[in-house]
């Protein structure tokens, strides 16, 4: 009898554990491979952590009394830095930048890790939660707000940020404390096909254009034939908060305590943005594009104007067989332009000396003359610096000829309305705008529904 | 004698210990911890220690919010839509493969490999390729349809056709897996049944429905349970091919769990979601187990 009970318990336990294992297997090999990738990434991080721990243990006892500002001493420090911006072709340049940095600061060794954008945030979140995050790393704007609100970022002190552009700096300040440095910046301009404009007999866009001007030109280009499209500006959340600003509207009120998505100004912006697709048909819908990307459409020479990022300059240079140029994007009742920047942040649970070294590294990366020059030469976005001489090297590269528009756009820049639940808010609004763009609901209804859903699901502090 | 058996048991337990230890630490323990997390408001980013858990404890609030909101039910609807399309198709396809491989004389080995290769590929790689195959402009599927005069839909960007597209890719990937199970089931059917039935004058169709299917039912039952459990956990294809779109048409349970946990920093909410999914699958499997008396014939 006893034997039966024991073997039954063992059998039950074995089945339970095996079913659990089976269920984990049933989840699919991709879950395991991404898990393997993140464990591998965490593995490399923990290897460097182990070596850092031993050197940190030696230097911590010396440094415990020193303030962060004083610990730029000659004690060798090893820190880890993780980023996504360099992935996909710029790893070499980042390494060259590090070599230049290391020449100036031979006591600071930086172990650089570059991970692709798609996998980056999942693994970073896991690492931060598990306590194995790198000493400094990169975040995009949305995640910056979430991370800084949850207290996992260290305030950046003890460095000279005079070289850095004020607006870019402000974007990464929370309640007056600096939590990130702008690693680079990029923005969005109106890029247009000069040959198509000539064909349609329309004069080129100027910096003063409004959406009315743009749509009028788009209609003339669309009239060239069924295959031709006048303009493309995305109908997504990312485009919408900017176009709302162009009509004097905004998604949140001044102190970000309330959603103001369904205001009249916003509705006007949404009607213009979506009307290009659903009413005047100068912009192709998802169905019309049939899987083709907007930049592909522009490169094929069948799109008159495209509102897209300056990072497309080098791609268009190689792929476009026609003349093209750029201008500040059209405005509504006022001008508003995008400003994209990635934050370089410091891990709040890193040791004091590592935090100091990390601050020196990211400040150098963001604002030193050498890194800025290297960045511009490699066309790897733009440094968010004040030094106009270095920035002017960017202007000398062509095409497009009117690169000055990139800097003119900075006069009207708006940053995204950052709140803690930024991802959720942008997904909700994106979804509603998508429904409006496919004609399921009107733009007004989209904004009303978005307002309702955001107020229900998201609590603003 | 007793001591010898006791020693054997101890020896067996020690041998199994490493494997058990791994399963407990990497499977059982996280599962138990996730129950605790589902009762909190943890954001998935802050360090998880006792004070964090105590500070963010919210009881069953997450469960109430999920069940009370409309999203859970519409997402469940999408998942069921997938299942209703997927299960019959994958069974049909696997039965077909099993029958073909069963009857094949030459080249059976090579075909077995060919049908099984999709099963061995990673879902990530397969999804990326299917994304291209289903491209409205450049994809193979629409080009083949155009050749026979049909204008193919926009597949992954069309609200109506996105889920059927995912079903198509899933059936392609899984039919070899279940096909092989059913093949071994077919091989296990005693030939004497067929001989006796042929003597009685039964035709091919009668043979199939009266002998093959009933005697195959244990294998079919196993495949049904496995495919249902997997279908509820539909994830990699959705994330890569549609990302939950277009307009939320392909948002399924695990996609929502991932989004809430990793994009919206609501790990507590996501844990509650996954436990609700577990309860759902558990109940369904129980129902199947009870229901097998009706249609599954085990050879005594």
């Amino acid at each position: 009898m006893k034997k039966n009970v024991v073997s039954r318990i063992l059998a039950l336990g074995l089945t339970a554990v095996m079913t659990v294992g089976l269920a984990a297997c049933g989840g699919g090999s991709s879950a395991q491979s991404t898990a393997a990738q993140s464990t591998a990434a965490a593995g490399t991080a923990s290897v460097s952590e182990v070596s850092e721990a031993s050197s940190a243990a030696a230097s911590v006892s010396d440094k415990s009394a020193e303030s962060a500002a004083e610990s730029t001493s000659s004690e060798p420090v090893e820190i880890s830095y993780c980023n996504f911006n360099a992935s996909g072709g710029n790893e070499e340049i980042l390494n060259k930048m590090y070599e230049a940095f290391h020449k100036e600061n031979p006591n600071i060794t930086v172990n650089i890790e570059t991970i692709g954008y798609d996998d980056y945030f999942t693994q970073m979140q896991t690492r931060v939660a598990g306590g194995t995050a790198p000493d400094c790393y990169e975040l995009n704007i949305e995640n910056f707000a979430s991370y800084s609100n949850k207290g996992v970022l260290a305030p950046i002190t003890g460095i000279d940020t005079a070289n850095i552009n004020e607006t870019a700096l402000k974007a990464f300040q929370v309640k007056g404390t600096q939590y990130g440095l702008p690693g680079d910046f990029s923005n969005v301009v109106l890029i247009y096909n000069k040959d198509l404009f000539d064909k349609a007999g329309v004069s080129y866009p100027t910096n003063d254009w409004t959406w009315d001007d743009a749509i009028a030109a788009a209609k003339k280009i669309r009239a060239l034939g069924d295959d031709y499209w006048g303009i493309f500006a995305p109908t997504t959340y990312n485009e919408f908060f900017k176009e709302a600003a162009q009509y004097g509207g905004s998604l949140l009120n001044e102190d970000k305590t309330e959603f103001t998505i369904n205001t009249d100004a916003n509705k006007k912006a949404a009607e213009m943005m979506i009307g290009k697709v659903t009413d005047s048909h100068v912009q192709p819908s998802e169905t019309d594009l049939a899987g083709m990307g907007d930049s592909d459409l522009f490169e094929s020479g069948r799109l008159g104007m495209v509102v897209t990022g300056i990072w497309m300059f080098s791609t268009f240079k190689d792929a476009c067989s026609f003349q093209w140029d750029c201008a500040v994007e059209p405005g509504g009742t006022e001008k508003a332009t995008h400003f994209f920047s990635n934050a370089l942040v410091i891990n709040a649970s890193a040791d004091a000396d590592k935090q100091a070294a990390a601050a020196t590294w990211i400040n150098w990366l963001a604002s030193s003359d050498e890194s800025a020059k290297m960045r511009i030469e490699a066309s790897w976005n733009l440094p968010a610096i004040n030094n106009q001489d270095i920035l002017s090297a960017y202007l000398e590269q062509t095409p497009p000829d009117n690169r000055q528009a990139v800097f003119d756009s900075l006069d009207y820049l708006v940053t995204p309305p950052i709140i803690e639940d930024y991802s959720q808010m942008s997904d909700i609004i994106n979804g509603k705008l998508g429904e409006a763009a496919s004609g399921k609901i009107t733009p007004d209804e989209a904004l009303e529904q978005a307002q309702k859903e955001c107020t229900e699901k998201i609590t603003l502090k | 004698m007793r001591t010898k058996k006791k020693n054997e048991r101890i020896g067996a337990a020690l041998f199994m210990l490493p494997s058990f230890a791994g399963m407990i630490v990497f499977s059982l323990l996280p599962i138990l911890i996730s129950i605790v997390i589902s009762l909190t408001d943890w954001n998935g980013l802050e360090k998880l220690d006792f004070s964090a858990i105590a500070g963010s404890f919210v009881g069953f609030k997450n469960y109430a919010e999920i069940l009370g909101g409309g999203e859970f039910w519409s997402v469940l609807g999408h998942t069921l839509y997938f299942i209703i399309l997927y299960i019959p198709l994958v069974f049909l396809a696997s039965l077909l493969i099993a029958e073909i491989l069963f009857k094949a004389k030459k080249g059976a080995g090579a075909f077995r490999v060919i049908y099984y290769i999709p099963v061995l590929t990673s879902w990530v790689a397969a999804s990326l390729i299917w994304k291209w195959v289903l491209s409205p402009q450049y994809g193979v599927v629409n080009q083949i349809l155009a050749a026979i005069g049909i204008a193919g839909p926009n597949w992954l960007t069309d609200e109506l056709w996105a889920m059927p597209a995912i079903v198509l890719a899933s059936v392609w990937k899984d039919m070899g897996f279940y096909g092989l199970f059913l093949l071994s089931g077919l091989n296990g059917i005693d030939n004497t049944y067929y001989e006796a039935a042929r003597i009685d004058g039964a035709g091919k169709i009668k043979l199939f429905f009266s002998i093959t299917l009933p005697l195959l039912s244990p294998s079919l039952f196993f495949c049904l349970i496995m495919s249902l459990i997997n279908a509820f956990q539909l994830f990699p294809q959705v994330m890569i091919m549609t990302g939950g779109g277009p307009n939320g048409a392909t948002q399924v349970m695990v996609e929502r769990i991932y989004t809430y946990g990793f994009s919206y920093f609501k790990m507590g909410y996501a844990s509650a979601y996954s436990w609700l999914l577990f309860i759902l699958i558990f109940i369904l499997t129980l129902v199947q187990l009870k229901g097998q008396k009706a249609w599954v014939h085990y050879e005594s």
Side-chain angles (χ1 to χ4, degrees):
Chain A
M1 284 298 279
K2 232 185 195 176
K3 175 173 109 178
N4 278 338
V5 171
V6 171
S7 53
R8 272 215 194 139
I9 293 177
L10 266 176
L12 260 173
L14 184 64
T15 331
V17 178
M18 279 177 67
T19 344
V20 157
L22 254 178
C25 285
S29 46
S30 74
Q32 290 171 345
S33 52
T34 33
Q37 276 175 15
S38 42
T39 349
T44 21
S46 47
V47 161
S48 47
E49 289 282 313
V50 166
S51 49
E52 287 161 27
S54 39
S55 53
S59 41
V60 150
S61 42
D62 296 316
K63 300 229 175 300
S64 49
E66 283 180 59
S67 72
E70 291 168 22
S71 48
T72 42
S73 57
S74 49
E75 288 280 340
V77 186
E78 203 175 321
I79 57 174
S80 50
Y81 169 67
C82 190
N83 78 112
F84 56 83
N85 214 336
S87 83
N90 290 313
E91 292 95 335
E92 260 190 63
I93 304 159
L94 183 57
N95 270 325
K96 286 211 189 94
M97 288 181 174
Y98 167 59
E99 278 162 32
F101 169 78
H102 194 55
K103 263 206 201 127
E104 281 179 37
N105 302 278
N107 56 317
I108 304 182
T109 314
V110 184
N111 297 320
I112 299 181
E113 211 183 322
T114 306
I115 300 180
Y117 187 80
D118 290 333
D119 303 319
Y120 185 85
F121 294 102
T122 316
Q123 64 95 37
M124 190 53 77
Q125 186 183 337
T126 323
R127 282 165 82 172
V128 172
T132 56
D135 298 310
C136 47
Y137 49 98
E138 192 180 11
L139 288 176
N140 60 6
I141 278 195
E142 301 100 317
N143 285 287
F144 171 78
S146 310
Y147 280 58
S148 60
N149 272 321
K150 289 162 178 70
V152 298
L153 302 180
I156 301 180
T157 53
I159 47 164
D160 181 14
T161 57
N163 276 345
I164 303 181
N165 176 296
E166 265 300 314
T167 324
L169 259 188
K170 282 227 188 71
F172 300 122
Q173 274 174 14
V174 182
K175 296 192 183 121
T177 318
Q178 197 72 35
Y179 282 104
L181 296 182
D184 60 12
F185 85 89
S186 53
N187 59 6
V188 166
V189 291
L190 180 76
I191 302 182
Y192 61 95
N193 183 332
K194 283 165 105 166
D195 293 354
L196 274 185
F197 267 75
D198 295 336
K199 211 170 166 186
V202 188
S203 47
Y204 298 150
T206 67
N207 283 352
D208 305 316
W209 267 28
T210 64
W211 280 109
D212 295 331
D213 301 323
I215 293 180
K219 284 188 178 149
K220 295 220 181 97
I221 296 179
R222 179 85 173 105
L224 287 174
D226 267 348
D227 260 354
Y228 293 96
W229 294 96
I231 189 169
F232 186 91
T235 51
T236 55
Y237 162 81
N238 261 328
E239 183 71 13
F240 179 62
F241 77 77
K242 176 192 61 174
E243 291 190 17
Q246 288 169 354
Y247 284 88
S250 86
L251 299 174
L252 295 156
N253 64 355
E254 271 290 335
D255 45 2
K256 295 194 181 152
T257 53
E258 245 185 72
F259 284 108
T260 55
I261 301 175
N262 53 351
T263 57
D264 285 336
N266 291 351
K267 283 186 178 164
K268 213 157 168 246
E271 280 161 25
M272 188 286 299
M273 184 174 89
I274 293 177
K276 299 192 249 94
V277 182
T278 53
D279 294 336
S280 51
H281 296 295
V282 292
Q283 173 168 327
S285 64
E286 279 293 329
T287 328
D288 296 320
L289 282 173
M292 198 182 202
D294 53 322
S295 24
D296 294 326
L297 188 61
F298 185 74
E299 287 163 21
S300 72
R302 296 190 284 128
L303 182 61
M305 298 171 268
V306 63
V307 174
T308 187
I310 62 176
W311 51 83
M312 292 309 294
F313 284 171
S314 35
T315 317
F316 286 167
K317 178 172 161 189
D318 296 328
C320 292
S321 53
F322 47 82
Q323 296 288 323
W324 56 277
D325 207 343
C326 69
V328 175
E329 51 170 311
T333 52
E334 46 195 90
K335 288 253 177 200
T337 56
H338 264 136
F339 181 79
F340 294 126
S341 184
N342 291 316
L344 304 176
V345 298
I346 302 181
N347 186 0
S349 32
D351 301 324
D353 59 332
K354 288 199 198 283
Q355 285 191 22
T360 316
W361 160 241
I362 60 177
N363 193 22
W364 188 92
L365 197 58
S367 64
S368 72
D369 287 347
E370 298 86 76
S371 77
K373 282 198 200 118
M374 286 174 148
R375 187 179 287 281
I376 289 185
E377 258 170 59
S379 295
W380 184 19
N381 290 335
L382 282 166
I385 57 176
N386 293 324
N387 189 330
Q388 291 304 320
D389 295 325
I390 298 182
L391 288 175
S392 65
Y394 182 75
L395 290 172
E396 281 147 32
Q397 299 171 3
T398 54
D401 296 326
N402 189 17
R403 283 199 176 207
Q404 183 60 34
V406 173
F407 295 105
D408 292 338
S409 301
L410 293 176
D411 293 337
Y412 315 106
L413 69 85
V414 291
T415 48
I418 312 264
I419 56 171
E420 186 161 349
D421 288 319
Y422 185 78
S423 265
Q424 199 169 7
M425 170 183 76
S426 58
D427 276 357
I428 292 174
I429 298 178
N430 222 1
K432 293 298 168 191
L433 291 175
E435 288 184 51
S438 56
K440 271 173 86 175
I441 53 180
T442 69
D444 283 6
E445 283 168 5
L447 294 188
E448 291 289 343
Q449 290 177 17
Q451 170 78 10
K452 186 160 172 278
E453 214 175 313
C454 282
T455 331
E456 276 172 8
K457 289 194 173 169
I458 301 177
T459 25
L460 295 167
K461 285 175 205 153
Chain B
M1 281 274 278
R2 248 197 203 163
T3 334
K4 192 180 174 195
K5 278 207 175 154
K6 204 173 173 190
N7 280 337
E8 275 181 15
R9 285 229 190 89
I10 293 176
L14 280 174
F15 271 109
M16 290 194 288
L17 194 63
S19 189
F20 265 2
M23 278 189 179
I24 289 177
V25 169
F26 291 109
S27 292
L28 200 55
L29 206 58
I31 289 178
L32 293 174
I33 293 178
S34 79
I35 299 182
V36 177
I37 293 178
S38 74
L39 300 172
T40 70
D41 231 347
W42 186 48
N43 55 39
L45 204 58
E46 291 162 337
K47 208 151 185 157
L48 191 68
D49 47 23
F50 283 118
S51 61
I53 296 177
S56 55
F57 193 81
V58 289
F60 287 99
K61 168 168 158 258
N62 288 328
Y63 291 94
E65 255 185 59
I66 296 171
L67 291 172
E71 187 188 61
F72 176 76
W73 303 103
S74 75
V75 161
L76 184 59
H78 297 146
T79 316
L80 288 174
Y81 180 39
F82 172 80
I83 289 173
I84 291 173
L85 289 179
Y86 168 75
I87 302 275
L89 279 175
V90 82
F91 266 86
L92 229 65
S94 336
L95 263 175
L96 212 64
I97 291 178
E99 279 284 312
I100 293 175
L101 290 176
F102 187 59
K103 303 257 173 69
K105 307 268 187 315
K106 296 185 194 162
F111 272 111
R112 222 178 297 163
V113 172
I114 291 176
Y115 283 124
Y116 204 72
I117 285 180
V119 180
L120 298 172
T121 58
S122 98
W123 250 126
V124 175
S127 306
L128 289 171
I129 298 206
W130 269 101
K131 215 172 160 184
W132 268 109
V133 167
L134 290 166
S135 160
Q137 263 216 355
Y138 310 113
V140 172
V141 174
N142 273 5
Q143 289 187 2
I144 293 178
L145 286 176
I148 51 176
I150 306 176
N154 277 342
W155 294 114
L156 296 172
T157 46
D158 187 325
E159 273 182 58
L160 197 57
W161 289 99
M163 195 55 102
I166 293 183
V167 169
L168 191 63
S170 307
V171 170
W172 169 85
K173 187 144 193 315
D174 294 335
M175 61 187 189
F177 183 72
Y178 298 116
L180 240 55
F181 265 114
L182 296 179
L183 177 64
S184 66
L186 282 176
N187 277 325
I189 298 178
D190 202 342
N191 225 8
T192 50
Y193 291 111
Y194 289 113
E195 285 170 11
R198 268 190 221 109
I199 290 173
D200 285 343
K204 279 211 175 133
I205 295 182
K206 192 88 171 115
L207 278 177
F208 183 77
F209 281 102
S210 302
I211 299 191
T212 311
L213 275 188
L215 289 175
L216 199 56
S217 54
S219 305
L220 282 171
F221 179 68
F222 173 77
C223 289
L224 182 65
I225 299 253
M226 289 302 296
S227 54
L228 265 177
I229 292 179
N230 268 325
F232 268 104
Q233 296 174 342
L234 176 68
F235 180 63
Q237 329 59 315
V238 165
M239 279 312 274
I240 294 184
M241 291 207 269
T242 62
N247 289 337
T250 56
Q251 278 177 354
V252 289
M253 305 283 287
V254 184
E255 183 272 335
R256 288 283 87 195
I257 293 171
Y258 174 85
T259 307
Y260 277 109
F262 288 97
S263 296
Y264 300 163
F265 297 106
K266 286 184 164 171
M267 199 55 92
Y269 192 86
S271 294
Y273 228 114
S274 43
W275 274 99
L276 283 173
L277 178 64
F278 168 78
I279 293 172
L280 209 63
I281 299 180
F282 191 74
I283 293 178
L284 204 73
T285 311
L286 270 180
V287 166
Q288 299 287 359
L289 283 171
K290 288 285 157 68
Q292 64 177 321
K293 291 193 194 106
W295 63 285
V296 185
H297 301 94
Y298 292 101
E299 278 186 83
S300 43

